[in-house]
PDB file of all heavy atoms in Angstrom:
ATOM      1  N   ARG A   5     -39.773  41.827  22.575  1.00  0.00           N
ATOM      2  CA  ARG A   5     -40.636  41.325  21.517  1.00  0.00           C
ATOM      3  C   ARG A   5     -41.933  40.843  22.112  1.00  0.00           C
ATOM      4  O   ARG A   5     -41.932  40.095  23.113  1.00  0.00           O
ATOM      5  CB  ARG A   5     -39.938  40.178  20.794  1.00  0.00           C
ATOM      6  CG  ARG A   5     -38.853  40.619  19.848  1.00  0.00           C
ATOM      7  CD  ARG A   5     -38.213  39.441  19.182  1.00  0.00           C
ATOM      8  NE  ARG A   5     -37.414  39.856  18.063  1.00  0.00           N
ATOM      9  CZ  ARG A   5     -36.745  39.053  17.228  1.00  0.00           C
ATOM     10  NH1 ARG A   5     -36.748  37.745  17.456  1.00  0.00           N
ATOM     11  NH2 ARG A   5     -36.055  39.521  16.237  1.00  0.00           N
ATOM     12  N   ARG A  18     -36.110  33.342  19.396  1.00  0.00           N
ATOM     13  CA  ARG A  18     -35.069  33.238  18.336  1.00  0.00           C
ATOM     14  C   ARG A  18     -34.731  34.589  17.806  1.00  0.00           C
ATOM     15  O   ARG A  18     -35.594  35.357  17.425  1.00  0.00           O
ATOM     16  CB  ARG A  18     -35.608  32.339  17.185  1.00  0.00           C
ATOM     17  CG  ARG A  18     -34.501  32.058  16.129  1.00  0.00           C
ATOM     18  CD  ARG A  18     -35.048  32.022  14.769  1.00  0.00           C
ATOM     19  NE  ARG A  18     -35.751  33.241  14.422  1.00  0.00           N
ATOM     20  CZ  ARG A  18     -35.151  34.388  14.048  1.00  0.00           C
ATOM     21  NH1 ARG A  18     -33.829  34.488  13.965  1.00  0.00           N
ATOM     22  NH2 ARG A  18     -35.862  35.486  13.780  1.00  0.00           N
ATOM     23  N   SER A  20     -31.051  36.970  16.114  1.00  0.00           N
ATOM     24  CA  SER A  20     -29.731  36.839  15.506  1.00  0.00           C
ATOM     25  C   SER A  20     -28.708  37.819  16.063  1.00  0.00           C
ATOM     26  O   SER A  20     -28.528  38.888  15.491  1.00  0.00           O
ATOM     27  CB  SER A  20     -29.861  37.042  13.985  1.00  0.00           C
ATOM     28  OG  SER A  20     -30.883  36.236  13.459  1.00  0.00           O
ATOM     29  N   ARG A  22     -24.837  39.218  16.876  1.00  0.00           N
ATOM     30  CA  ARG A  22     -23.577  39.202  16.125  1.00  0.00           C
ATOM     31  C   ARG A  22     -22.366  38.968  17.055  1.00  0.00           C
ATOM     32  O   ARG A  22     -21.288  38.649  16.573  1.00  0.00           O
ATOM     33  CB  ARG A  22     -23.392  40.519  15.353  1.00  0.00           C
ATOM     34  CG  ARG A  22     -24.350  40.662  14.198  1.00  0.00           C
ATOM     35  CD  ARG A  22     -24.051  41.859  13.311  1.00  0.00           C
ATOM     36  NE  ARG A  22     -25.023  41.928  12.245  1.00  0.00           N
ATOM     37  CZ  ARG A  22     -26.227  42.502  12.344  1.00  0.00           C
ATOM     38  NH1 ARG A  22     -26.636  43.016  13.514  1.00  0.00           N
ATOM     39  NH2 ARG A  22     -27.053  42.499  11.309  1.00  0.00           N
ATOM     40  N   ASN A  76     -19.379  41.111   7.226  1.00  0.00           N
ATOM     41  CA  ASN A  76     -19.787  39.904   7.976  1.00  0.00           C
ATOM     42  C   ASN A  76     -18.618  39.220   8.637  1.00  0.00           C
ATOM     43  O   ASN A  76     -18.745  38.641   9.728  1.00  0.00           O
ATOM     44  CB  ASN A  76     -20.566  38.953   7.052  1.00  0.00           C
ATOM     45  CG  ASN A  76     -21.932  39.495   6.738  1.00  0.00           C
ATOM     46  OD1 ASN A  76     -22.634  39.986   7.632  1.00  0.00           O
ATOM     47  ND2 ASN A  76     -22.387  39.369   5.519  1.00  0.00           N
ATOM     48  N   HIS A 132     -27.286  32.902  13.003  1.00  0.00           N
ATOM     49  CA  HIS A 132     -27.425  34.234  12.318  1.00  0.00           C
ATOM     50  C   HIS A 132     -27.230  34.034  10.822  1.00  0.00           C
ATOM     51  O   HIS A 132     -26.143  33.650  10.387  1.00  0.00           O
ATOM     52  CB  HIS A 132     -26.391  35.197  12.873  1.00  0.00           C
ATOM     53  CG  HIS A 132     -26.635  36.634  12.499  1.00  0.00           C
ATOM     54  ND1 HIS A 132     -26.590  37.685  13.387  1.00  0.00           N
ATOM     55  CD2 HIS A 132     -26.975  37.191  11.295  1.00  0.00           C
ATOM     56  CE1 HIS A 132     -26.890  38.801  12.762  1.00  0.00           C
ATOM     57  NE2 HIS A 132     -27.094  38.495  11.495  1.00  0.00           N
ATOM     58  N   GLY A 133     -28.300  34.183  10.044  1.00  0.00           N
ATOM     59  CA  GLY A 133     -28.236  34.065   8.593  1.00  0.00           C
ATOM     60  C   GLY A 133     -27.293  35.090   7.942  1.00  0.00           C
ATOM     61  O   GLY A 133     -27.235  36.214   8.415  1.00  0.00           O
ATOM     62  N   GLY A 135     -26.344  36.575   4.049  1.00  0.00           N
ATOM     63  CA  GLY A 135     -26.477  36.604   2.586  1.00  0.00           C
ATOM     64  C   GLY A 135     -25.311  37.323   1.923  1.00  0.00           C
ATOM     65  O   GLY A 135     -25.164  37.250   0.710  1.00  0.00           O
ATOM     66  N   GLY A 136     -24.515  37.997   2.706  1.00  0.00           N
ATOM     67  CA  GLY A 136     -23.369  38.756   2.190  1.00  0.00           C
ATOM     68  C   GLY A 136     -22.111  37.924   2.065  1.00  0.00           C
ATOM     69  O   GLY A 136     -21.330  37.879   3.067  1.00  0.00           O
ATOM     70  N   ASN A 180     -34.791  42.640  17.107  1.00  0.00           N
ATOM     71  CA  ASN A 180     -35.552  43.697  16.400  1.00  0.00           C
ATOM     72  C   ASN A 180     -37.033  43.337  16.347  1.00  0.00           C
ATOM     73  O   ASN A 180     -37.468  42.350  16.925  1.00  0.00           O
ATOM     74  CB  ASN A 180     -34.929  43.969  15.003  1.00  0.00           C
ATOM     75  CG  ASN A 180     -34.820  42.700  14.179  1.00  0.00           C
ATOM     76  OD1 ASN A 180     -35.445  41.697  14.467  1.00  0.00           O
ATOM     77  ND2 ASN A 180     -33.977  42.744  13.157  1.00  0.00           N
ATOM     78  N   ARG A 182     -41.048  43.477  14.192  1.00  0.00           N
ATOM     79  CA  ARG A 182     -41.716  43.003  12.976  1.00  0.00           C
ATOM     80  C   ARG A 182     -42.808  43.956  12.544  1.00  0.00           C
ATOM     81  O   ARG A 182     -43.374  44.701  13.367  1.00  0.00           O
ATOM     82  CB  ARG A 182     -42.302  41.613  13.190  1.00  0.00           C
ATOM     83  CG  ARG A 182     -41.272  40.518  13.390  1.00  0.00           C
ATOM     84  CD  ARG A 182     -40.396  40.351  12.152  1.00  0.00           C
ATOM     85  NE  ARG A 182     -39.483  39.207  12.274  1.00  0.00           N
ATOM     86  CZ  ARG A 182     -38.228  39.340  12.726  1.00  0.00           C
ATOM     87  NH1 ARG A 182     -37.710  40.476  13.139  1.00  0.00           N
ATOM     88  NH2 ARG A 182     -37.431  38.237  12.803  1.00  0.00           N
TER      89      ARG A 182
HETATM   90  C1  LIG B 201     -31.090  34.756   4.309  1.00  0.00           C
HETATM   91  C2  LIG B 201     -30.581  35.743   5.350  1.00  0.00           C
HETATM   92  C3  LIG B 201     -29.482  36.532   5.025  1.00  0.00           C
HETATM   93  C4  LIG B 201     -28.998  37.431   5.957  1.00  0.00           C
HETATM   94  N1  LIG B 201     -27.854  38.154   5.679  1.00  0.00           N
HETATM   95  C5  LIG B 201     -27.263  38.865   6.680  1.00  0.00           C
HETATM   96  C6  LIG B 201     -25.977  39.412   6.484  1.00  0.00           C
HETATM   97  O1  LIG B 201     -25.329  39.240   5.391  1.00  0.00           O
HETATM   98  N2  LIG B 201     -25.408  40.106   7.470  1.00  0.00           N
HETATM   99  C7  LIG B 201     -26.020  40.293   8.667  1.00  0.00           C
HETATM  100  O2  LIG B 201     -25.439  40.923   9.560  1.00  0.00           O
HETATM  101  N3  LIG B 201     -27.246  39.741   8.936  1.00  0.00           N
HETATM  102  C8  LIG B 201     -27.869  39.016   7.961  1.00  0.00           C
HETATM  103  N4  LIG B 201     -29.082  38.443   8.201  1.00  0.00           N
HETATM  104  C9  LIG B 201     -29.788  38.603   9.465  1.00  0.00           C
HETATM  105  C10 LIG B 201     -31.024  39.450   9.354  1.00  0.00           C
HETATM  106  O3  LIG B 201     -30.704  40.798   9.282  1.00  0.00           O
HETATM  107  C11 LIG B 201     -31.988  39.153  10.560  1.00  0.00           C
HETATM  108  O4  LIG B 201     -32.351  37.794  10.535  1.00  0.00           O
HETATM  109  C12 LIG B 201     -33.188  40.062  10.546  1.00  0.00           C
HETATM  110  O5  LIG B 201     -32.840  41.390  10.794  1.00  0.00           O
HETATM  111  C13 LIG B 201     -34.234  39.628  11.560  1.00  0.00           C
HETATM  112  O6  LIG B 201     -33.649  39.658  12.846  1.00  0.00           O
HETATM  113  P1  LIG B 201     -33.679  38.368  13.808  1.00  0.00           P
HETATM  114  O7  LIG B 201     -33.091  37.227  13.058  1.00  0.00           O
HETATM  115  O8  LIG B 201     -32.808  38.760  14.979  1.00  0.00           O
HETATM  116  O9  LIG B 201     -35.062  38.094  14.160  1.00  0.00           O
HETATM  117  C14 LIG B 201     -29.631  37.576   7.248  1.00  0.00           C
HETATM  118  C15 LIG B 201     -30.743  36.754   7.529  1.00  0.00           C
HETATM  119  C16 LIG B 201     -31.211  35.865   6.610  1.00  0.00           C
HETATM  120  C17 LIG B 201     -32.397  34.985   6.986  1.00  0.00           C
END
Side-chain angles (χ1 to χ4, degrees):
R5 284 180 166 181
R18 186 216 56 79
S20 308
R22 291 187 180 83
N76 286 318
H132 193 134
N180 54 17
R182 291 297 185 267

